[in-house]
Amino acid sequence: MGVLLNRKGIVTHVIVGDTKGIMIPSLEDYPLGRKPLRGLRLIHTHLYNEPLNQDDLTDLALLRFDIFVALGIKNGTPHTVYSAHLKPDSNDLEILPPAHISSFSLNFKEFIQSLEEEMNRKRVIDQDDPRERAILISISKEPRYRQEECLDELQELALSADVVVLDRVIQRVKEVNPRYLMGMGRLKELIINALSKGATLLIFDQNLTPSQMKAISELTELKVIDRTQLILDIFAKRAHTRDGKVQVELAQLRYRLPHLSGKGTAMSRLTGGIGGRGPGETKLEIDRRRVRERISLLERELKKLAEARRQRKHRRKQKNIPIVSIIGYTNAGKSTLLNNLTHSNTFTEERMFATLDTASRRLRFPREREIIITDTVGFIRDLPKDLIAAFKSTLEELHDADLLIHLVDISNPRFPDQIESVEKILDELGLSEKERLLVFNKIDRLPPEEVYNICHRYHGIGISAIDKSSFTPLLRAIEEHLWNEKLAPIGV
Ligand SMILES: Nc1nc2c(ncn2[C@@H]2O[C@H](COP(=O)(O)OP(=O)(O)OP(=O)(O)O)[C@@H](O)[C@H]2O)c(=O)[nH]1
Ligand SMILES: [Mg+2]
């Protein structure tokens, strides 16, 4: 049997098990939160007076008890005290020398106070910083350098979501474990490490199936999310217009619906981990129904909004003004270009997904010519399906464009992959046949020869969106495309 005691020495739980072990109940009333230790100590019996075993030590590290004690029983009476606690500066454990119960002595109050103080001191993180602290994880069959690249992008996304990144974990596996992506032992190690670093969140670069999400969440009370959820979260934070808000909420609900699932109520002492945080089955059914109702409400609202947009568009079309749409990977500089082309002031930022809504501006050309130029939400590799679906109506406007400007951040080392991702999404949107200009932005960040070579190789135009004097070749190319003019050739 076992007992859990809180810092005041009050027994909070009495657990009765069998000879194989005990089940530690859900500890949701004693959340770890941002504290280094749980505030509960466990004392339990070892019926054959055996010392602490691997399962004991794993549970101590996973659940971060104040101290972990096994009371060895000999001839039916308490005999040896085996105890261990976490060390302040690593995820190592300190195993105290076994002692006979009559000679065991520990001033718990002093001990826990100094241990916790030292833990707080050794943690480099600021305890008052309210931001989430994440460990980024990639597990796949892809070679390491590919995973590194993907994590670089995930890290930028995390930054955009206001998440502090504490560490990155990459593992190349021969086969992806269907339940945990990696082996359970390795995953537990990772969780223990994350806890000792003070993380609050695990972010997987690979999208998790509902059952994987459930299995991993059952091992830890850290929040577990995947890349899609991170992107959805950024979108949710940044949507400002009614259109954007409705679209994002819809995408979130659609993504969450299959992930709504119950969790176990207790965890096994032998398998470790913690569960029992999920709602009961009936509550879940109600949740599911609510979510479905909300989805259909939002879908109806979206339809209305789309109708209003169609009418606005119709009026614009009647005036017969050509439309040029700037598209491209997130952070390519689309909004900056729109602003500087049209002397306007839409929102730009050194972050991914600064823009979620379409903005249209007029741009005058010589000879009384005028176009409408639009900026839209950025694209990203493996753009979540639900998100494409949700933004379909916004992105549908691209079908009306007479010309697409595909803007590429030439200073991003991953730009060839980014071009490919954008092409793929255009294809999925049925836009691959649209006329388009490939335009390399941020040329101020590279040496001119390199810019020249890249533009030459891709038949692209080089510009710097922050330097209006670099726009001439682009403006000429637009005129040429829209009004079929052969203009005198100019250098890039
Ligand atoms: N050095 C340099 N920086 C640029 C240039 N164009 C844009 N930037 C910077 O790149 C960052 C992203 O610019 P945005 O215009 O917000 O990019 P966006 O494509 O609209 O991004 P999303 O809306 O997030 O998809 C900002 O910090 C800009 O100041 C450029 O030509 N040179
Ligand atoms: Mg933008």
Side-chain angles (χ1 to χ4, degrees):
M1 62 182 289
V3 287
L4 287 165
L5 296 96
N6 66 17
R7 288 279 165 92
K8 288 186 186 134
I10 293 170
V11 175
T12 60
H13 299 80
V14 176
I15 310 152
V16 180
D18 56 24
T19 47
K20 283 195 247 97
I22 53 172
M23 302 268 280
I24 295 176
S26 149
L27 300 176
E28 59 183 359
D29 292 339
Y30 294 85
L32 200 48
R34 285 155 187 272
K35 300 179 306 224
L37 290 169
R38 182 160 312 262
L40 286 178
R41 60 198 120 132
L42 175 73
I43 303 173
H44 73 299
T45 51
H46 273 188
L47 296 183
Y48 305 104
N49 199 22
E50 67 276 30
L52 296 175
N53 58 38
Q54 198 49 52
D55 282 336
D56 288 325
L57 299 177
T58 306
D59 278 349
L60 166 59
L62 268 178
L63 296 173
R64 300 192 74 81
F65 287 116
D66 291 351
I67 191 166
F68 192 97
V69 178
L71 192 55
I73 307 294
K74 207 170 180 178
N75 302 326
T77 50
H79 191 272
T80 315
V81 178
Y82 303 97
S83 53
H85 62 80
L86 295 160
K87 275 192 187 169
D89 49 349
S90 62
N91 41 18
D92 261 5
L93 304 170
E94 176 87 35
I95 300 178
L96 302 173
H100 189 269
I101 185 151
S102 59
S103 59
F104 180 80
S105 136
L106 174 77
N107 184 332
F108 182 74
K109 233 180 181 161
E110 262 174 37
F111 155 80
I112 199 69
Q113 199 172 357
S114 74
L115 179 64
E116 204 162 48
E117 267 172 21
E118 202 173 335
M119 280 181 163
N120 278 327
R121 214 168 337 113
K122 291 254 162 78
R123 282 185 170 190
V124 277
I125 46 182
D126 175 4
Q127 293 295 325
D128 298 326
D129 187 340
R131 289 177 296 175
E132 298 279 357
R133 301 186 292 252
I135 309 287
L136 308 183
I137 304 159
S138 169
I139 300 146
S140 84
K141 294 196 248 182
E142 299 257 359
R144 209 185 154 84
Y145 79 91
R146 273 295 302 169
Q147 296 193 49
E148 287 279 2
E149 282 180 357
C150 292
L151 279 197
D152 286 346
E153 186 174 272
L154 192 68
Q155 192 157 349
E156 284 171 41
L157 285 167
L159 191 86
S160 291
D162 245 338
V163 170
V164 181
V165 174
L166 296 180
D167 201 5
R168 306 167 30 137
V169 178
I170 289 178
Q171 200 177 31
R172 186 176 188 190
V173 288
K174 280 210 191 75
E175 284 309 323
V176 174
N177 181 314
R179 202 167 154 75
Y180 299 111
L181 299 186
M182 60 180 112
M184 182 162 96
R186 175 83 181 90
L187 180 60
K188 278 187 181 172
E189 246 172 63
L190 190 156
I191 291 168
I192 290 168
N193 213 334
L195 287 168
S196 77
K197 287 203 163 79
T200 58
L201 177 68
L202 302 178
I203 308 179
F204 285 83
D205 192 47
Q206 286 71 30
N207 283 336
L208 302 174
T209 64
S211 62
Q212 285 167 340
M213 186 74 84
K214 181 168 181 249
I216 297 171
S217 300
E218 267 169 4
L219 288 186
T220 177
E221 67 214 273
L222 286 170
K223 276 173 252 168
V224 179
I225 64 169
D226 59 18
R227 182 172 177 272
T228 297
Q229 278 168 300
L230 181 64
I231 294 174
L232 286 171
D233 199 75
I234 298 171
F235 275 59
K237 275 198 187 128
R238 291 175 168 245
H240 295 299
T241 62
R242 189 66 206 144
D243 245 339
K245 282 192 179 140
V246 172
Q247 289 173 0
V248 173
E249 192 184 342
L250 203 51
Q252 275 181 314
L253 291 176
R254 283 199 187 122
Y255 194 73
R256 236 184 49 203
L257 190 59
H259 284 86
L260 276 181
S261 59
K263 287 194 171 127
T265 49
M267 67 164 221
S268 153
R269 259 295 282 122
L270 296 172
T271 53
I274 185 163
R277 292 177 292 124
E281 266 328 302
T282 14
K283 167 112 183 3
L284 265 168
E285 265 320 301
I286 295 168
D287 276 358
R288 279 207 192 96
R289 206 174 61 223
R290 282 226 185 92
V291 169
R292 276 196 212 100
E293 280 167 10
R294 181 96 188 127
I295 286 179
S296 55
L297 182 86
L298 290 171
E299 279 170 345
R300 283 199 298 276
E301 183 166 355
L302 207 57
K303 265 203 188 118
K304 274 190 223 147
L305 290 166
E307 184 50 38
R309 212 175 13 229
R310 245 192 300 280
Q311 285 173 6
R312 274 202 304 275
K313 214 167 58 190
H314 185 65
R315 284 197 291 274
R316 208 190 287 146
K317 264 262 170 238
Q318 274 180 337
K319 287 186 186 153
N320 220 357
I321 306 175
I323 300 172
V324 175
S325 294
I326 309 173
I327 54 139
Y329 213 77
T330 178
N331 211 36
K334 302 178 294 297
S335 304
T336 311
L337 179 61
L338 177 80
N339 286 344
N340 287 335
L341 274 174
T342 63
H343 318 284
S344 58
N345 208 357
T346 56
F347 183 62
T348 66
E349 210 184 352
E350 181 62 74
R351 287 190 168 202
M352 301 175 106
F353 299 114
T355 310
L356 287 188
D357 310 304
T358 329
S360 304
R361 300 281 180 276
R362 280 171 190 246
L363 172 59
R364 281 179 203 291
F365 279 88
R367 276 172 278 166
E368 298 294 299
R369 281 171 175 167
E370 164 172 81
I371 64 171
I372 286 173
I373 187 151
T374 70
D375 169 27
T376 187
V377 51
F379 294 176
I380 192 162
R381 158 183 83 86
D382 302 329
L383 193 67
K385 281 242 167 346
D386 295 290
L387 212 51
I388 296 192
F391 277 86
K392 224 179 177 94
S393 50
T394 305
L395 294 170
E396 259 170 17
E397 295 193 7
L398 295 175
H399 286 280
D400 298 322
D402 299 280
L403 178 67
L404 300 180
I405 293 179
H406 177 174
L407 199 65
V408 179
D409 177 356
I410 199 172
S411 71
N412 190 314
R414 301 187 297 274
F415 84 78
D417 283 341
Q418 297 183 338
I419 293 180
E420 216 173 282
S421 304
V422 170
E423 295 284 342
K424 198 168 144 214
I425 295 167
L426 286 178
D427 205 34
E428 281 166 15
L429 292 169
L431 288 164
S432 46
E433 299 298 314
K434 273 256 176 251
E435 260 201 90
R436 92 190 83 124
L437 286 176
L438 189 64
V439 178
F440 288 100
N441 186 31
K442 310 196 191 181
I443 58 169
D444 54 292
R445 286 188 176 167
L446 287 190
E449 319 82 68
E450 212 171 311
V451 172
Y452 178 84
N453 286 336
I454 294 171
C455 286
H456 189 73
R457 193 170 343 129
Y458 287 85
H459 304 290
I461 300 169
I463 61 159
S464 170
I466 51 171
D467 174 13
K468 289 182 192 173
S469 70
S470 71
F471 292 172
T472 317
L474 172 61
L475 292 172
R476 287 217 177 173
I478 293 174
E479 280 195 280
E480 214 170 291
H481 268 83
L482 292 181
W483 293 290
N484 260 330
E485 274 175 11
K486 278 273 153 272
L487 296 167
I490 34 156
V492 173

